[in-house]
Amino acid sequence: MTDRSTLRQAPGAAGTRILGVGSFQPEKIVTNDDLSKIMDTNDQWIRDRVGIIERRFAEKDESLVDMAVKAGTAALADAGVDPSEVDTVILPNCTMPTQIPNAAAQVADRIGITHPAAFDLNAACAGFCYGLGVASDLIRAGSAKTALVIGAEKLTDHVDPVDRANAIIFADGAGAAVVGAAGTPQIGPVAWGSAGEHVDLIYMRDDKWIYQEGQSVFRWATTQIAPIALRALELAGLEPSDVDVLIPHQANLRIVEAIAKKLRAKGGREDMVVADDIKYSGNTSSASIPLALDHMRKAGTVKSGDVVLAVGFGAGLSYAGQAFICP
């Protein structure tokens, strides 16, 4: 009887960390006053309901792939990682105009990343946290060594420009993170899940326009997301008092503030920094968390070594969160 070879698995890393981050936003700034010229709204009405002051819209010839390339390139530069070192590209998004080919392979090629594993991931506004969790686990399992995760969206392609409920909220942009191995964990386990019974609260109407039941989403997010954030801390072995920075998905400033209030009620610090990037970026779905992180680092409100708690939520309904150390 011939002896058979035994299967083996690649050796993984003890932990993972974010090596660098980057972002990109289109140049075109759209204020609330600009929107009031094409729909029945005004600056104060928008500020009171969602907290947005202005947002960025991509030009017609500026694609999701274009924005992802710029954000990914910036993240690699920040990390000091050459494209040749990247073996996996994950691109969370929900607004690619075609299902195939995927965005990730196109972005990788344009950045100069040769023959990586490349795939898109659609968890809508929870996409970046999903992607970060997948990247971290792939590296710990030995299936990847260095991953580039890029959340990118061109939401303006899918928003009815005169739909007051949605056109005031959504915007365009991309944010990215480079993930690599670490001797000790610097990215915590992902706490994730879905509530498919609420699938009708956010969807693509007529296969073209984004629709959401705003009040129902607000009630769900303000009651269900803080427990997910606390679960992410528990999985990472942390307490709310350990959190220096909270970055919820930038869906609505009132939702962000409600999540922060609930964390503080559970022991979170009063001096915990809370992202409010939605004020000047709008809701950029899977791009919102890395966009906010990059903007806060550049502004100096977040520094290297800070404990960050991120939590995303959106269509599906899908949600995910994890704690990590700021690079």
Side-chain angles (χ1 to χ4, degrees), residues 75-141:
L76 289 171
D78 183 61
V81 171
D82 189 83
S84 63
E85 301 175 61
V86 177
D87 56 18
T88 305
V89 177
I90 304 171
L91 212 157
N93 78 88
C94 61
T95 53
M96 267 295 283
T98 57
Q99 290 189 331
I100 51 175
N102 67 27
Q106 299 177 66
V107 170
D109 179 66
R110 285 179 52 180
I111 291 176
I113 302 169
T114 306
H115 303 151
F119 59 94
D120 289 13
L121 186 159
N122 186 352
C125 303
F128 180 78
C129 289
Y130 264 72
L132 184 59
V134 170
S136 178
D137 287 351
L138 286 173
I139 292 168
R140 290 193 309 108

Side-chain angles (χ1 to χ4, degrees), residues 31-36 39-55 164 167-169 252-254:
T31 67
N32 294 338
D33 288 335
D34 291 332
L35 294 179
S36 71
M39 66 183 74
D40 182 18
T41 191
N42 61 69
D43 177 65
Q44 197 61 52
W45 190 89
I46 296 172
R47 292 191 191 214
D48 289 346
R49 282 156 182 77
V50 293
I52 299 173
I53 298 169
E54 64 184 40
R55 71 287 287 150
R164 183 174 73 161
I168 65 169
I169 299 170
N252 178 311
L253 189 59
R254 291 192 296 156

